[in-house]
């Protein structure tokens, strides 16, 4: 389920929009990222809580949402953007350096965790989730966006949002929540 709705918008969103529409046209993409990332994480936590073997407690689920690092980071980002707050230069430079390494590092960790022998046990789930993520979601949402009149950079923003592959963070979230991290890794790869 997570691999179907959770796109790699953070890694691909702004670069795709900037490359296809030119620098400075990523404003809508930035807003969508700020809204979508907390939503992806909240939905993931609820899905893992309610699809798991144990009956979830609402209070425990809400606590997991409140403690989720991606949600906290998104909320802090929104706070900083809306208030105009800035980090001290040295801290901002450090955060920027760590951010530039995060996706390649996540892919390296994912590659180390990936086990080709386990692929055969998940063929049905992989065919469903990858087909849904890369064929059906784009058809439905891009088709709807075109019918609603989205064009130019707005349509490219929808393309980056709904047509990018499953997010690298879906593996991390599955592992953190005690779900099938092997399947999550396979859908990303």
């Amino acid at each position: 389920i997570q691999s179907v709705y959770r796109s790699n918008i953070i890694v691909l969103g702004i670069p795709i929009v900037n490359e296809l529409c030119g620098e400075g046209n990523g404003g809508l993409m930035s807003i969508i990222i700020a809204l979508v990332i907390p939503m992806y994480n909240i939905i993931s936590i609820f899905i893992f809580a309610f699809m798991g073997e144990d009956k979830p407690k609402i209070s425990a689920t809400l606590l997991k949402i409140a403690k989720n690092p991606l949600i906290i980071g998104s909320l802090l980002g929104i706070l900083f953007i809306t208030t105009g707050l800035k980090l001290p230069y040295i801290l901002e430079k450090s955060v920027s350096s760590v951010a530039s390494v995060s996706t390649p590092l996540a892919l390296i960790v994912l590659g180390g965790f990936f086990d080709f022998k386990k692929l055969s046990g998940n063929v049905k789930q992989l065919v469903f989730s990858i087909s849904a993520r890369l064929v059906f979601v784009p058809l439905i949402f891009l088709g709807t966006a075109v019918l609603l009149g989205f064009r130019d950079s707005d349509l490219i923003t929808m393309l980056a949002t709904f047509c990018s592959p499953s997010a690298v963070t879906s593996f991390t979230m599955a592992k953190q929540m005690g779900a099938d991290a092997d399947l999550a890794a396979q859908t990303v790869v």
Side-chain angles (χ1 to χ4, degrees):
I1 294 170
Q2 180 183 222
S3 67
V4 173
Y5 73 84
R6 191 172 193 142
S7 69
N8 217 351
I9 190 172
I10 291 177
V11 175
L12 300 174
I14 292 175
I16 287 174
V17 171
N18 284 343
E19 189 64 33
L20 295 176
C21 301
E23 292 288 327
N25 287 309
L28 178 60
M29 188 81 258
S30 297
I31 292 168
I32 288 175
I33 288 171
L35 296 173
V36 165
I37 297 309
M39 184 179 72
Y40 281 169
N41 287 291
I42 291 168
I43 292 169
S44 291
I45 290 169
F46 274 108
I47 286 172
F48 288 129
F50 289 96
M51 300 289 285
E53 294 176 14
D54 299 331
K55 187 164 178 102
K57 293 181 179 157
I58 295 294
S59 60
T61 303
L62 293 175
L63 183 62
K64 285 180 182 177
I65 290 170
K67 291 169 56 176
N68 183 281
L70 291 172
I71 292 172
I72 293 168
S74 295
L75 294 176
L76 285 173
I78 291 169
L79 175 72
F80 274 70
I81 289 169
T82 57
T83 62
L85 289 173
K86 296 268 186 209
L87 291 172
Y89 176 77
I90 190 77
L91 189 56
E92 188 171 324
K93 190 73 172 159
S94 298
V95 169
S96 178
S97 294
V98 170
S100 67
V101 172
S102 63
T103 299
L105 183 59
L107 289 170
I108 290 168
V109 169
L110 183 63
F113 186 82
F114 192 81
D115 185 357
F116 283 97
K117 294 177 210 157
K118 294 182 180 178
L119 272 173
S120 61
N122 291 326
V123 171
K124 286 182 187 176
Q125 294 95 328
L126 288 169
V127 168
F128 168 78
S129 62
I130 292 168
S131 298
R133 176 73 234 145
L134 298 178
V135 177
F136 299 113
V137 167
L139 278 173
I140 293 166
F141 287 97
L142 277 185
T144 303
V146 168
L147 291 174
L148 290 173
F150 284 83
R151 299 291 184 270
D152 303 323
S153 64
D154 293 340
L155 186 60
I156 298 300
T157 299
M158 296 297 113
L159 173 95
T161 303
F162 296 112
C163 298
S164 58
S166 295
V168 174
T169 53
S170 61
F171 163 74
T172 308
M173 180 66 84
K175 188 125 176 91
Q176 179 184 18
M177 297 295 294
D180 191 346
D182 288 325
L183 179 58
Q186 292 165 2
T187 60
V188 173
V189 172

